[in-house]
Amino acid sequence: MAAHRTDRPHNLASAAIVVGTDGSAAAHRAVHWAAETAAQRGRTLHIVHGLDLTAAAAALGSYDVLAPGVIDNIRRCGEEYITSAARLARAVAPGVRIRTEVCEAESARLLIARSADAHMVVLGAAGDSGTFAHLGSTLLAVVAHGRGTVAVVRHRGAELRSGGGYPVVVGIDGSARSQAALAAAFHEAAERRTRLVAVHAWCDQRFDRFAGYPNTITDPVVAASAQALLSEQLAGWQEKYPDVPIIRKVYPAGPVHQLIEWSRLAQLVVVGNRGRGGFRGLFLGSTGNALVQHAHCPVMVAHTEQHR
C-alpha cells in the first residue's frame, strides 16, 4: 500500500472508509466496494445510517402520540440495515475492521459530518438515472457538500474492477479544482498499483450532438496549447508518484462523452467537485453530475476545502 501522507486528516492511517447504507441494493453494492477497498488498504470500515427522527416526528405529528411504537420501528429498521451491511462486509472481506453507527440525524448531514476526517465516503447509486431527482437527495447533498473525496458506486454496470488491468481515469479541465482531482487520482492509482489516464477536452461542446465530429484536435496551434495546459496541470505529480505510469489524452470537445467512454475501461473515474466556469454556490459541475448518473464504473468526486 502506498505511504500515507499526513498533511490532511483524510490521509491519516486512522482515517476510516465511511459508507452509508439504507438497506437498498445500491447501498449493498457500495458496502461491497467499500469493504474491499478497506481490506486492501488496512483501514477501518465505518458503516453508518441516519434515522432522521426529526423529520419523521414532524411528519407523524399527533399520530406518533397514538402509535408510540413508530419511532421504535424506525430505529429497528435502522439497526437491521446496519446489521445486514456489516454481515455483507464481513463476507466480502473477512478480516476488515468494522465500526457501525446508527444516528438520529438526517443521513446527508451525518455523512457530510463524517466526511471531515474520513479517508473517503462511499455511497451507492441505483439504476440508469435519467434525471438528477432519481439519484436521491442524500447522495446529491453528500457529493456536493462532503469533504475530501466521495465515491459513488453505481448499481448498474460491470463487475467490481480492480488490479493493474484497469486504469484510474481523471478529468482535467484546467481549473484550480483539477489539482484536487489530480491529488485524489494519483493517490488512488498508487494504492491500486495501476496506470493513470489524464483526460482533457479543449472545450465543453457537447460531443454527441454532432455526427462525425472529430475525436482528435486537427489544428496544430490548438493541439499544442491543449498539450501545454495538460503538462502544466500535471507538473510535479510524476515526481511525487514516480511509480504511477501516466497516459495523456487530449480531445477537442465533449468532456462528459470522453469520460463516460473511458469509464467503460476504468476501475475508477475521478473529477473535481466543480470545473471551469462553475457558478458560485454550485458545488458539483455538469461533468460530475453526468458521471454520477451515467458512468460505467465508480466515480470519485474530489473536493477542495476552499468553500468551507
Side-chain angles (χ1 to χ4, degrees), residues 7-293:
D7 54 338
R8 299 175 66 201
H10 315 290
N11 296 327
L12 293 172
S14 59
I17 292 178
V18 176
V19 60
T21 184
D22 60 3
S24 66
H28 287 333
R29 185 173 179 85
V31 170
H32 189 294
W33 189 88
E36 283 191 336
T37 304
Q40 290 164 1
R41 301 183 185 186
R43 292 188 177 275
T44 297
L45 180 66
H46 185 183
I47 307 173
V48 305
H49 174 75
L51 299 173
D52 197 6
L53 291 185
T54 300
L60 291 170
S62 60
Y63 176 72
D64 187 44
V65 176
L66 300 174
V70 171
I71 298 297
D72 289 339
N73 287 337
I74 293 174
R75 292 183 186 277
R76 189 177 304 112
C77 285
E79 292 291 349
E80 289 174 357
Y81 295 155
I82 287 289
T83 299
S84 176
R87 187 183 305 117
L88 171 61
R90 291 190 181 95
V92 170
V96 72
R97 300 186 302 273
I98 296 175
R99 186 164 73 243
T100 62
E101 179 181 9
V102 178
C103 181
E104 294 187 1
E106 177 192 7
S107 292
R109 291 183 180 275
L110 173 61
L111 288 163
I112 291 169
R114 296 294 173 265
S115 73
D117 56 6
H119 180 61
M120 71 173 74
V121 171
V122 184
L123 290 168
D128 188 9
S129 303
T131 66
F132 236 22
H134 293 155
L135 288 175
S137 59
T138 296
L139 186 149
L140 291 178
V142 177
V143 170
H145 300 288
R147 306 283 291 273
T149 56
V150 179
V152 178
V153 182
R154 295 185 51 73
H155 182 56
R156 179 184 64 81
E159 72 283 353
L160 294 173
R161 304 166 185 166
S162 61
Y166 299 98
V168 170
V169 175
V170 60
I172 300 174
D173 63 9
S175 71
R177 306 270 171 165
S178 290
Q179 291 303 307
L182 280 168
F186 269 98
H187 180 79
E188 289 297 319
E191 290 279 3
R192 297 163 187 272
R193 296 180 173 87
T194 192
R195 63 196 186 281
L196 177 66
V197 179
V199 175
H200 171 64
W202 179 245
C203 75
D204 294 329
Q205 185 76 57
R206 279 192 57 183
F207 188 95
D208 55 0
R209 288 184 178 179
F210 305 101
Y213 196 88
N215 206 33
T216 57
I217 299 176
T218 56
D219 186 320
V221 175
V222 173
S225 296
Q227 290 289 351
L229 184 149
L230 188 57
S231 295
E232 180 182 347
Q233 292 281 293
L234 291 169
W237 287 107
Q238 187 68 84
E239 289 74 19
K240 292 180 182 178
Y241 293 90
D243 296 329
V244 176
I246 304 175
I247 299 171
R248 305 178 186 210
K249 293 291 183 179
V250 175
Y251 300 98
V256 171
H257 171 84
Q258 305 298 350
L259 289 169
I260 289 177
E261 286 302 300
W262 272 104
S263 76
R264 299 177 186 274
L265 307 172
Q267 57 179 291
L268 183 71
V269 173
V270 183
V271 292
N273 65 307
R274 187 176 67 191
R276 60 191 173 200
F279 293 101
R280 184 176 181 84
L282 181 64
F283 297 132
L284 186 61
S286 59
T287 298
N289 291 351
L291 286 167
V292 167
Q293 295 179 77

